[in-house]
Amino acid sequence: MCTAFVSVEPGAAVPVLLLSVRDEYLGRAWLPPDHHWPDRPGLLGGLDLAAGGTWLAVDPARRTAACLLNGFGRLAPADSRRTRGGLPLTAVTEDGIGHLDLTPYDPFHLVLVRPDGARVASWGDGRLEERELPAGLSVVLNDGLEGLAANRSASERISALMAARADHFRARFTAALRPEPAGDGPTERAWGAWLPIVAGDGLAPDEDAALVQRRDFGDGRIWGSSSISLLALGPDRLRYDFAAAPVAADGAAGAGWQRIATD
């Protein structure tokens, strides 16, 4: 149940903000953002050690970033299936993934952000849909943009959790002063009123609306939020802040946040 919030304000000093929360089984090994790919030395992102790809890639040279969310629907053929973790790496360097043969990939939603805007590509059941995001705040869930993908979860419980999260945090981010992060300074100063909300807004990790979550679905494994990424993109700046989840509820300094160098 990954979540991405994207704020697009064309007239702002920092027109595009991206919040990406990665959810996974917590036993899945990963490494924090770095230059992990020798064949693409300029790219940054966390490394999924299970499959070798990433859930979020950043290309500082192009000031682009792409985050990946799993989707619902018919799976790719087992004998030709490829990891979706390579898609963000392609998207940031090739302006998207619409030119690829996507038949070897399970369903997904990919958010591509640029200094001048953002778009979402959704793949499932043999069809790719791409939408440019409007001005304002948008949310992308495993059920797609605004939870309205053609293929959504068959579980009413899972869909209800996603809807509760989207409703709660849309209201909270909209009511807070939108940050305009500069390229330097600590995370709490850069992200201001948004940071305590990003850190979970005081909700327990098993509450229905929890953004930073931890849930036991009864299969012997624990599902939860493993990391949080914050990106700010503008014509003259790119800022990337990252934390392993959970972080302190007030988002305070020393709570695990680090600014990832992009220059």
Side-chain angles (χ1 to χ4, degrees):
M1 294 186 290
C2 299
T3 308
F5 281 92
V6 186
S7 173
V8 178
E9 295 294 343
V14 187
V16 179
L17 306 177
L18 169 66
L19 159 65
S20 173
V21 180
R22 186 196 187 207
D23 297 332
E24 256 295 354
Y25 283 109
L26 297 182
R28 186 162 179 146
W30 56 276
L31 294 175
D34 206 335
H35 298 279
H36 291 295
W37 300 275
D39 60 330
R40 303 185 190 197
L43 302 189
L44 284 163
L47 178 64
D48 175 29
L49 292 173
T54 188
W55 57 96
L56 187 149
V58 179
D59 186 342
R62 293 176 174 82
R63 289 205 302 279
T64 59
C67 71
L68 182 75
L69 299 84
N70 294 346
F72 297 103
R74 186 175 66 245
L75 301 180
D79 59 354
S80 61
R81 183 177 296 137
R82 298 182 62 184
T83 175
R84 291 166 289 193
L87 294 171
L89 300 168
T90 298
V92 294
T93 55
E94 300 181 23
D95 192 32
I97 44 83
H99 60 291
L100 299 178
D101 174 12
L102 298 174
T103 55
Y105 297 97
D106 289 343
F108 65 83
H109 308 286
L110 186 137
V111 183
L112 179 66
V113 292
R114 321 170 304 269
D116 64 344
R119 71 176 184 267
V120 177
S122 294
W123 165 256
D125 287 350
R127 182 175 59 184
L128 177 67
E129 295 184 356
E130 296 190 89
R131 288 188 59 184
E132 189 75 10
L133 295 186
L137 187 67
S138 299
V139 60
V140 184
L141 308 155
N142 299 107
D143 269 349
L145 177 61
E146 306 298 344
L148 297 174
N151 296 300
R152 299 192 288 274
S153 173
S155 166
E156 292 185 5
R157 175 61 174 157
I158 297 298
S159 292
L161 293 174
M162 286 188 278
R165 184 182 323 127
D167 291 346
H168 177 94
F169 284 91
R170 185 196 308 280
R172 293 290 289 123
F173 286 125
T174 300
L177 180 66
R178 184 182 188 271
E180 293 189 346
D184 55 7
T187 302
E188 65 270 21
R189 188 169 71 199
W191 292 93
W194 272 30
L195 198 61
I197 305 173
V198 169
D201 203 32
L203 299 181
D206 59 352
E207 289 191 44
D208 282 4
L211 178 67
V212 179
Q213 56 186 297
R214 182 182 176 90
R215 302 184 189 278
D216 184 348
F217 289 114
D219 63 354
R221 296 177 292 172
I222 303 298
W223 180 272
S225 303
S226 59
S227 66
I228 308 169
S229 299
L230 288 165
L231 274 292
L233 301 93
D236 61 350
R237 72 187 77 181
L238 168 64
R239 179 166 180 133
Y240 182 8
D241 291 271
F242 177 86
V247 292
D250 60 359
W257 289 103
Q258 59 176 311
R259 182 168 65 89
I260 306 299
T262 57
D263 47 21

